[in-house]
Amino acid sequence: MANIKSQKKRIITNERNRVHNVDFRSKMRTSIKKVKVACSNNDLAKAKELLPLAISLIDKSVKDGIQHQNTAARQKSNLMTMVNKLESNSKATA
């Protein structure tokens, strides 16, 4: 444990930020999984409803420095590809 007062404060702040980042990352990953499950169940309406929330959380994670910009771009691209593929399949069968 640190002896310097400012370092003790820093340890507390770092732990608070770490817990926040873990919680946020979990929330983001859950929203991504919900979109993927909706796509795998061929539920286009649900997937389109959940997609903006997932994209918003992904963008916020980049802004807050929780994940890298390229990782976020790849995740958003994969989600949008899945939803668009589902949409094109539903149009083809209709």
Side-chain angles (χ1 to χ4, degrees):
M1 186 68 189
N3 292 327
I4 301 168
K5 186 175 182 179
S6 62
Q7 188 58 34
K8 289 178 182 178
K9 290 179 184 177
R10 201 69 205 137
I11 290 170
I12 292 168
T13 304
N14 288 343
E15 179 62 17
R16 184 175 62 232
N17 291 342
R18 186 191 69 79
V19 169
H20 173 266
N21 290 344
V22 168
D23 290 343
F24 186 85
R25 189 179 301 121
S26 174
K27 182 179 178 182
M28 179 190 65
R29 288 177 176 170
T30 301
S31 70
I32 291 171
K33 287 176 188 175
K34 285 180 180 179
V35 174
K36 288 182 179 181
V37 167
C39 288
S40 67
N41 291 337
N42 293 326
D43 190 357
L44 179 61
K46 186 82 167 172
K48 278 189 164 186
E49 176 187 327
L50 295 172
L51 183 63
L53 175 65
I55 289 175
S56 173
L57 290 174
I58 291 170
D59 287 337
K60 188 174 184 325
S61 72
V62 172
K63 186 187 77 156
D64 291 346
I66 295 173
Q67 71 177 0
H68 193 270
Q69 183 177 1
N70 292 352
T71 304
R74 184 181 67 245
Q75 288 173 339
K76 292 192 303 186
S77 175
N78 287 340
L79 288 177
M80 287 190 268
T81 301
M82 290 173 72
V83 173
N84 289 339
K85 193 177 288 187
L86 183 63
E87 188 174 21
S88 66
N89 288 344
S90 68
K91 285 182 181 178
T93 58

